[in-house]
Amino acid sequence: MFAFILILMMIIAGSSTVSKPNEFNKEYISKNGIASMKGIFVFLIVLSHAKGYFMDDMGGFLDKAYLNVQNHLGQMVVALFLFYSGYGIMEQIKKREFTYIKSIATKRFPSLLLNYDIAVVLFLILALALKKTITVKQVIFSLIAWDGLGNSSWYIFVTLVLYILTFISFSFIKLIKNKKLYIINIILFTALTALFVYILIKVGKESWWWNTALLFPLGFWYSYFKDIIEKLVMKNDVTYLLAVMGVTVLYVATKYLSTKHGIWYFPYGFMFVAAAVVLTMKVNINSNILNWFGDHIFSIYILQRIPMIIMDHFGLSHSHRYVFVILTFAITCAMAEIYDILFAKLSGKIWKPKQIKS
């Protein structure tokens, strides 16, 4: 499995450029600038899920090397998705104000739910074709992402709830004339997210349902303080190096403490994000391959299990695991491309852009 990590590392190395002395990557957190970063972690998520089908067969030196990488990352493979999403939403709120908040309820939330439910129907058809036992309750809960039919669901459920909490927290920004007061909304949103995490813990959801959720509001905080942070960190190479050293020390410390007590997983997540942000301030990763993965996050994330389930059903995951992984990537990518094209057409018909009267 480590061979796939090496391939990923070669793609990254071949598409990375380092800024000149006292210069920085100004696109480090722009939509185009983060595409490859997101693509890296989509790639890692597919590997992680594929590994789950033949975990018992792993044991070689390279397998252990891969497992060490995966164990170190843990849930951090989704950390940047949550952070970047939160940051992007806050940036849109600053630009479009209540118009964007309204669009969360009228488009963003229903669009994600519809996109997900279409995929759930595909998994239902697959489950019935493979003659798996499915209950009505399971189907209903799957449609709201509280359960699954073989598909990954927790990330979608958490994202949907975070959309609702965003709408609640910012629904009164019409009354706020000074954008500096948006910090009140962000504090409220962070508090509601923390309450949401607490509820998930209390109802007994596994740790991966909640241990990265606070990285979403972290994106809001970064958007709010971005100008100040950039002035401090990107002033020159000395201030940048000091930031790198500080983040490195805190990253190592929180990572170690997170192995001792679960509560430290939250600050560890913050420092993982901080490390990625600081790195990309100086290093620009721009790969067409990774950009494609980064542009198809949802469809790859949600559809990858379909080829995995089918091939596992016929024993390929154990008899030819490398072929299993390669075919998973190939089939998932083909499905994702087609799926996104079709959903874009459907979405365009449902949420037609408003005509501007001349």
Side-chain angles (χ1 to χ4, degrees):
M1 285 293 287
F2 195 72
F4 295 104
I5 298 294
L6 291 176
I7 292 172
L8 177 60
M9 291 172 65
M10 287 189 289
I11 294 173
I12 295 171
S15 59
S16 299
T17 55
V18 180
S19 300
K20 296 177 181 179
N22 292 315
E23 293 183 7
F24 298 90
N25 173 25
K26 300 297 184 179
E27 299 297 313
Y28 76 99
I29 202 164
S30 67
K31 182 178 180 180
N32 292 331
I34 64 175
S36 283
M37 283 295 287
K38 292 191 293 185
I40 291 170
F41 288 95
V42 173
F43 187 97
L44 290 172
I45 287 172
V46 176
L47 280 184
S48 176
H49 287 168
K51 176 266 304 178
Y53 289 87
F54 50 78
M55 180 71 179
D56 294 339
D57 300 331
M58 299 178 69
F61 172 76
L62 291 179
D63 284 340
K64 290 180 179 178
Y66 167 75
L67 291 174
N68 287 335
V69 171
Q70 188 195 43
N71 290 337
H72 177 82
L73 289 173
Q75 278 300 100
M76 291 304 110
V77 290
V78 301
L80 288 180
F81 301 142
L82 289 162
F83 172 75
Y84 286 146
S85 293
Y87 170 82
I89 288 176
M90 189 61 213
E91 287 292 293
Q92 289 297 317
I93 291 173
K94 289 191 296 187
K95 292 176 184 177
R96 298 167 55 191
E97 300 178 327
F98 187 72
T99 300
Y100 184 76
I101 293 300
K102 188 168 64 174
S103 74
I104 292 176
T106 59
K107 182 178 179 181
R108 196 174 183 105
F109 179 94
S111 176
L112 175 59
L113 185 59
L114 175 62
N115 204 352
Y116 173 76
D117 282 346
I118 291 172
V120 168
V121 172
L122 297 178
F123 278 91
L124 176 60
I125 293 171
L126 176 60
L128 294 175
L130 296 179
K131 297 181 180 179
K132 293 186 177 182
T133 302
I134 303 294
T135 65
V136 174
K137 179 181 178 180
Q138 188 178 0
V139 172
I140 294 172
F141 280 177
S142 295
L143 291 173
I144 59 171
W146 187 251
D147 200 350
L149 299 175
N151 57 294
S152 301
S153 62
W154 75 267
Y155 184 86
I156 305 301
F157 179 82
V158 169
T159 302
L160 289 169
V161 173
L162 289 172
Y163 284 169
I164 294 173
L165 298 183
T166 300
F167 181 81
I168 293 171
S169 302
F170 286 85
S171 59
F172 58 90
I173 62 172
K174 273 187 175 182
L175 305 175
I176 300 176
K177 304 302 180 182
N178 188 344
K179 292 185 179 182
K180 290 184 178 179
L181 295 179
Y182 282 175
I183 193 169
I184 297 172
N185 305 90
I186 300 175
I187 291 172
L188 175 59
F189 176 54
T190 304
L192 290 176
T193 303
L195 176 61
F196 172 51
V197 168
Y198 177 77
I199 292 172
L200 287 176
I201 294 172
K202 282 300 181 180
V203 299
K205 282 297 185 181
E206 296 88 344
S207 61
W208 59 81
W209 277 71
W210 47 263
N211 61 13
T212 54
L214 286 172
L215 298 179
F216 195 87
L218 180 64
F220 283 66
W221 286 106
Y222 190 82
S223 172
Y224 189 82
F225 289 109
K226 183 182 71 167
D227 292 342
I228 296 174
I229 294 170
E230 288 183 349
K231 285 180 180 179
L232 291 173
V233 177
M234 302 169 73
K235 184 177 181 180
N236 53 52
D237 283 349
V238 174
T239 57
Y240 176 76
L241 182 59
L242 290 173
V244 169
M245 292 170 61
V247 169
T248 301
V249 170
L250 291 173
Y251 178 90
V252 173
T254 54
K255 174 61 179 176
Y256 171 76
L257 291 170
S258 71
T259 63
K260 301 299 180 180
H261 197 289
I263 192 66
W264 283 97
Y265 207 80
F266 294 108
Y268 166 54
F270 297 159
M271 297 320 302
F272 182 90
V273 167
V277 168
V278 171
L279 173 66
T280 53
M281 283 179 172
K282 199 70 173 177
V283 180
N284 180 31
I285 305 172
N286 187 12
S287 160
N288 290 333
I289 295 173
L290 295 177
N291 286 346
W292 185 90
F293 275 88
D295 290 337
H296 294 78
I297 294 174
F298 174 85
S299 51
I300 292 174
Y301 174 79
I302 205 67
L303 297 175
Q304 60 180 304
R305 295 280 190 179
I306 291 178
M308 291 180 189
I309 291 171
I310 294 173
M311 289 188 288
D312 182 64
H313 178 76
F314 290 104
L316 190 64
S317 58
H318 295 284
S319 61
H320 298 88
R321 56 193 176 105
Y322 285 101
V323 174
F324 173 82
V325 175
I326 293 170
L327 287 178
T328 291
F329 272 105
I331 297 171
T332 300
C333 288
M335 291 177 64
E337 182 69 28
I338 297 170
Y339 187 90
D340 283 346
I341 291 173
L342 294 177
F343 186 78
K345 291 182 178 180
L346 175 62
S347 180
K349 291 182 178 180
I350 298 174
W351 292 283
K352 293 180 180 179
K354 291 183 179 180
Q355 297 294 326
I356 301 175
K357 295 181 179 180
S358 56

